[in-house]
């Protein structure tokens, strides 16, 4: 195996990559196969990215992990036995570590190294990448594999710094086990991270107070341990499963192992009698609401499903006031990333769990001993922020990136991200983004999208090298057309409904422009487009 050894600072590389999550890890394999000289810079202490940082109790995959795994390693596909349908964080991190060990990936990586800036030199056609300690890395190509959900969002709540107890963000969870036994815990947020962690924390904490601003639509995960027969069946069909993923809408083969992942049917909720809708809800539970063809497309049909959803909550929550507060309303089901849970609503029936509805009782400030809301003081020993991320653009904008003519990427993206295919940005030659805005990324099984991007980028670099070329840059017109297309495809879906406030739209971060960032046109269509662009001599790119 041709290994690359990271050299000392100011060395010249063919490629500098930022990030050692699943994207950066796969890039090591790909860049090594090309025999290139490269280095991976990672601010964390090891590989795994998302799964290295998000160690909160209950953290796990929200799709079958047999599908959320690398397809490039056929041996590992056959030898790895996933314990559960939706593996928990420790198992996914163990998997990442196994891949890193098998391929000696760490040899190419520098940990505890945060990239602060990157400047394109138009004379040399190269990037100068500088870390926060001032080390410089020069490279022809610069790849941001920095993740879509890697910059934790700390909400700007008055007095946050005054709190004297222990503060933890779900996205920066400590490596050692946090023992909540006998403690009063507060958690702010009710998105995926909170929904996963609340039942687990509630099981051991003396008291758990959930500070909820927006109630969530969440569906039963349908997780279960896997047995040998299941695994053998998947292993025998892996080739087909991967092929189906690559041509699918969301990067999933959807092989019907869990109710919630059944394909959307052809039947419309609007055409069903009320009796029929109720009967299905009783028989199939909440997943039945996801199967109607019109719920994702028509706001009135969506509201019918939301209404049934709320009635279902009323049935499972003992306290009517809590049930009412937990009922999502005012925004459509499906406008945010689907949340799945294991015992979320049931946790609110416990005596040690209480819900503070911030719409009725807003936070006034955080103080030394806890959270002060309009109705009074909530003293807690630990305060958890499950407040999400500056998604998709956060990690890219955190690096001061300067392209041609001194243009700052942050300025170019002031009104929202613009890129061609989510892979390259006009004015920023030889810079690639893995799962960048404008690509399916967070709307898909991300390992499928990660592999596709890393394959495309490394094939592109190989093409340039083989043809004596040393620059590639998105054409402005191609970028404009792609951005327009990204908006057009999303228009009219629940994802961009005026009442929707999601991190896909950037609105979870104060001051961030409301712009829909991922590409909803489907993994299969998108892959075909990227492949045809490459086959047609990198249509829409200037090669130099
Ligand atoms: P990341 O894993 O985010 O890795 C990026 C790395 O870049 C990080 O380690 C970060 O430290 C590093 N980095 C960033 N900026 C810098 C810098 N300036 N200098 C140095 N290093 C830097 N997706 C799914 O498809 N299915 C799931 O079930 C799923 N579950 C998720 C659960 C959680 C809790 C979260 C937060 C996300 C989940 N995702 C899921 C999305 C997940 O982020 C991707 O699946 C995938 O792990 C992303 O890999 P990545 O390598 O592209 O990015
Ligand atoms: P999130 O979905 O953005 O949820 C953040 C929560 O914090 C929301 O409930 C939000 O309320 C609340 N919040 C933010 N600022 C607040 C403030 N100032 N005051 C009160 N509440 C505030 O973040 P997340 O739960 O970390 O999930 C982010 C994404 O990561 C997911 O959508 C998913 O893609 C991924 N993820 C996946 C899994 C999984 O199941 N595998 C698990 C975790 C994360 P508002 O809604 O009112 O803004």
């Amino acid at each position: 195996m041709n290994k690359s050894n990271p050299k000392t600072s100011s060395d010249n590389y063919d490629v500098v990559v930022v990030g050692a999550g699943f994207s950066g890890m796969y890039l090591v394999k790909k860049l090594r196969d090309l025999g290139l000289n490269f280095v991976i810079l990672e601010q964390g202490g090891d590989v795994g990215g998302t799964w290295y940082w998000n160690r909160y109790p209950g953290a796990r995959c929200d799709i079958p992990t047999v599908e959320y795994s690398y397809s490039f390693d056929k041996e590992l596909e056959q030898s790895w036995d996933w314990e559960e349908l939706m593996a928990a964080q420790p198992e996914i991190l163990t998997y990442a570590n196994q891949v890193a060990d098998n391929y000696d990936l760490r040899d190419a990586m520098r940990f505890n190294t945060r990239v602060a800036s990157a400047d394109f030199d138009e004379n040399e056609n190269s990037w100068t990448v500088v870390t926060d300690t001032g080390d410089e890395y020069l490279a022809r190509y610069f790849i941001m594999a920095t993740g879509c959900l890697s910059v934790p969002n700390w909400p700007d709540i008055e007095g946050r710094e005054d709190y004297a107890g222990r503060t933890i963000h779900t996205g920066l969870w400590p490596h050692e086990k946090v023992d909540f036994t006998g403690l009063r815990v507060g958690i702010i947020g009710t998105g995926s991270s909170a929904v996963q962690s609340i039942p687990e924390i509630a099981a051991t904490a003396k008291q758990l107070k959930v500070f909820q601003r927006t109630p969530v639509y969440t569906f039963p995960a349908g997780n279960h341990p896997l047995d040998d027969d299941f695994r053998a069946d998947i292993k025998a069909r892996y080739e087909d499963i991967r092929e189906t993923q690559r041509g699918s809408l969301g990067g999933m083969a959807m092989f019907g192992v869990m109710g919630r992942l059944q394909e959307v049917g052809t039947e419309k909720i609007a055409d069903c009698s009320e009796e029929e809708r109720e009967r299905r809800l009783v028989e199939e539970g909440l997943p039945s609401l996801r199967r109607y063809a019109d719920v994702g497309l028509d706001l009135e049909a969506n509201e019918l499903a939301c209404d049934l959803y709320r009635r279902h909550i009323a049935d499972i929550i003992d306290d009517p006031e809590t049930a009412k507060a937990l009922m999502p309303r005012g925004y459509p089901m499906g406008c945010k990333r689907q949340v799945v849970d294991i015992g979320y609503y049931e946790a609110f029936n416990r005596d040690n769990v209480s819900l503070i509805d911030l719409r009725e009782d807003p936070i006034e400030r955080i103080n030394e001993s806890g959270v002060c809301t309009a109705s009074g003081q909530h003293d807690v020993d630990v305060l958890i922020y499950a407040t999400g991320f500056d998604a998709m653009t956060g990690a890219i904008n955190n690096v001061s990136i300067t392209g041609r003519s001194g243009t700052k990427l942050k300025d170019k993206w002031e009104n929202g991200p613009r890129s061609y295919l989510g892979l390259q940005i006009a004015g920023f030659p030889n810079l690639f983004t893995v799962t960048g805005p404008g690509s399916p990324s967070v709307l898909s099984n991300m390992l499928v999208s990660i592999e596709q991007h890393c394959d495309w980028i490394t094939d592109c670099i190989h093409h340039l090298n083989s043809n004596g070329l040393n620059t590639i840059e998105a054409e402005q017109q191609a970028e404009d057309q792609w951005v327009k297309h990204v908006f057009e495809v999303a228009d009219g879906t629940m994802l961009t409904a005026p009442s929707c406030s999601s991190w896909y739209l950037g609105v979870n971060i104060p001051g961030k422009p409301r712009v829909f960032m991922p590409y909803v046109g489907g993994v299969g269509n998108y892959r075909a487009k990227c492949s045809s662009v490459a086959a047609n001599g990198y249509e829409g790119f200037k090669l130099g």
Side-chain angles (χ1 to χ4, degrees):
M1 193 185 286
N2 173 19
K3 286 188 197 167
S4 79
N5 291 311
K7 299 181 183 170
T8 51
S9 40
S10 289
D11 267 343
N12 264 298
Y13 292 91
D14 298 316
V15 188
V16 167
V17 178
V18 191
F22 279 126
S23 301
M25 291 170 64
Y26 184 44
L27 279 169
V28 177
K29 158 94 177 67
K30 296 291 296 182
L31 293 167
R32 254 188 209 149
D33 288 349
L34 292 180
L36 295 176
N37 177 26
F38 64 96
V39 64
I40 311 276
L41 306 176
E42 164 61 55
Q43 64 191 355
D46 206 343
V47 297
T50 286
W51 306 102
Y52 171 87
W53 297 107
N54 292 264
R55 296 168 189 242
Y56 59 84
R60 63 173 66 244
C61 214
D62 60 2
I63 55 175
T65 323
V66 290
E67 294 215 44
Y68 183 80
S69 56
Y70 284 125
S71 75
F72 76 85
D73 187 335
K74 299 297 163 204
E75 264 179 52
L76 190 61
E77 244 177 15
Q78 294 301 318
S79 64
W80 191 270
D81 286 335
W82 291 104
E83 282 174 24
E84 292 174 87
L85 185 66
M86 298 151 105
Q89 174 272 335
E91 191 182 6
I92 302 175
L93 188 58
T94 305
Y95 172 83
N97 279 308
Q98 181 72 59
V99 175
D101 291 346
N102 289 356
Y103 289 90
D104 295 323
L105 301 185
R106 294 184 188 83
D107 291 356
M109 296 175 170
R110 290 214 171 160
F111 297 110
N112 305 307
T113 305
R114 200 183 82 76
V115 170
S117 69
D119 292 68
F120 185 67
D121 181 330
E122 292 186 54
N123 297 319
E124 299 292 327
N125 283 329
S126 70
W127 283 91
T128 303
V129 179
V130 183
T131 69
D132 59 0
T133 54
D135 284 346
E136 280 186 11
Y137 297 80
L138 307 184
R140 171 82 60 220
Y141 300 102
F142 176 45
I143 306 180
M144 290 290 277
T146 43
C148 295
L149 295 158
S150 55
V151 177
N153 167 40
W154 291 99
D156 191 11
I157 301 174
E158 198 190 332
R160 188 161 60 78
E161 304 298 329
D162 299 342
Y163 178 59
R166 185 167 189 190
T167 298
I168 312 178
H169 195 293
T170 50
L172 293 169
W173 200 264
H175 287 205
E176 73 281 3
K177 185 175 157 45
V178 181
D179 185 0
F180 294 108
T181 314
L183 298 181
R184 298 164 305 169
V185 182
I187 184 165
I188 302 178
T190 49
S192 297
S193 302
V195 164
Q196 287 189 328
S197 53
I198 283 169
E200 300 269 337
I201 297 169
T204 55
K206 180 174 157 199
Q207 177 197 87
L208 176 63
K209 293 203 171 188
V210 179
F211 296 91
Q212 169 195 270
R213 190 165 66 182
T214 308
V216 63
Y217 295 103
T218 169
F219 289 79
N223 184 41
H224 55 77
L226 297 184
D227 59 30
D228 287 343
D229 287 349
F230 179 99
R231 288 192 282 252
D233 174 48
I234 298 297
K235 287 178 185 181
R237 297 191 292 120
Y238 247 135
E239 275 307 307
D240 286 348
I241 289 170
R242 301 302 190 191
E243 233 6 76
T244 309
Q245 287 179 332
R246 292 181 190 123
S248 69
L249 188 68
M252 300 279 301
M254 302 220 177
F255 42 88
V257 287
M258 30 191 316
R260 77 164 197 95
L261 288 180
Q262 281 163 348
E263 295 279 2
V264 172
T266 48
E267 209 169 353
K268 295 183 172 177
I269 194 168
D271 296 342
C272 282
S273 67
E274 183 144 1
E275 237 176 13
E276 178 64 7
R277 290 176 213 146
E278 294 272 5
R279 187 189 61 75
R280 285 202 183 161
L281 184 61
V282 171
E283 279 174 16
E284 299 172 27
L286 286 175
S288 70
L289 301 177
R290 294 167 52 92
R291 292 181 50 195
Y292 297 106
D294 48 350
V295 167
L297 300 169
D298 179 87
L299 272 172
E300 276 179 34
N302 194 284
E303 185 50 28
L304 288 176
C306 295
D307 190 44
L308 281 170
Y309 184 97
R310 288 188 284 268
R311 275 191 261 165
H312 186 76
I313 294 179
D315 288 344
I316 50 178
I317 301 290
D318 297 341
D319 172 44
E321 279 305 304
T322 306
K324 196 169 155 231
L326 283 167
M327 290 176 188
R329 51 180 91 243
Y331 73 97
M333 187 183 286
C335 95
K336 302 188 183 195
R337 165 94 183 186
Q338 185 56 66
V339 177
V340 301
D341 71 273
I342 302 176
Y344 175 65
Y345 287 122
E346 290 75 5
F348 290 92
N349 287 336
R350 296 177 63 107
D351 291 339
N352 65 335
V353 178
S354 51
L355 183 72
I356 293 94
D357 181 356
L358 301 180
R359 294 166 304 177
E360 299 289 326
D361 183 14
I363 296 179
E364 289 188 338
R365 58 171 294 130
I366 289 173
N367 53 28
E368 205 183 341
S369 54
V371 182
C372 180
T373 63
S375 70
Q377 174 71 19
H378 305 272
D379 285 350
V380 291
D381 304 307
V382 184
L383 187 53
I384 297 169
Y385 289 84
T387 44
F389 302 88
D390 182 355
M392 307 210 67
T393 52
I396 299 174
N397 279 337
N398 265 358
V399 176
S400 171
I401 298 177
T402 311
R404 275 193 201 289
S405 318
T407 305
K408 297 269 182 207
L409 183 56
K410 222 174 167 174
D411 292 340
K412 170 161 176 164
W413 281 8
E414 197 185 354
N415 298 319
R418 303 185 68 79
S419 83
Y420 180 35
L421 299 171
L423 279 163
Q424 266 228 329
I425 303 148
F428 296 80
N430 294 2
L431 164 64
F432 296 96
T433 51
V434 181
T435 64
S439 72
S441 62
V442 288
L443 293 176
S444 67
N445 170 355
M446 287 203 68
L447 271 214
V448 174
S449 293
I450 284 170
E451 283 192 339
Q452 186 251 338
H453 262 193
C454 295
D455 289 343
W456 194 96
I457 291 167
T458 48
D459 286 351
C460 172
I461 292 175
H462 180 60
H463 172 86
L464 298 170
N465 288 348
S466 312
N467 290 281
L469 300 163
N470 60 20
T471 57
I472 177 161
E473 181 182 352
E475 285 171 8
Q476 189 59 59
Q477 198 192 359
E479 180 177 284
D480 292 344
Q481 277 170 358
W482 183 253
V483 171
K484 191 164 165 263
H485 175 62
V486 170
F487 292 157
E488 276 168 1
V489 186
D491 202 27
T493 67
M494 296 303 136
L495 296 160
T496 54
S499 56
C500 185
S501 306
S502 68
W503 57 258
Y504 293 145
L505 288 158
V507 289
N508 63 324
I509 303 295
K512 202 165 163 173
R514 184 185 165 95
V515 171
F516 187 73
M517 295 182 282
Y519 178 58
V520 72
V523 161
N525 293 336
Y526 174 79
R527 175 183 291 269
K529 168 74 181 169
C530 292
S531 301
S532 97
V533 161
N536 291 330
Y538 291 90
E539 219 171 12
F541 291 96
K542 279 176 282 191
L543 309 187

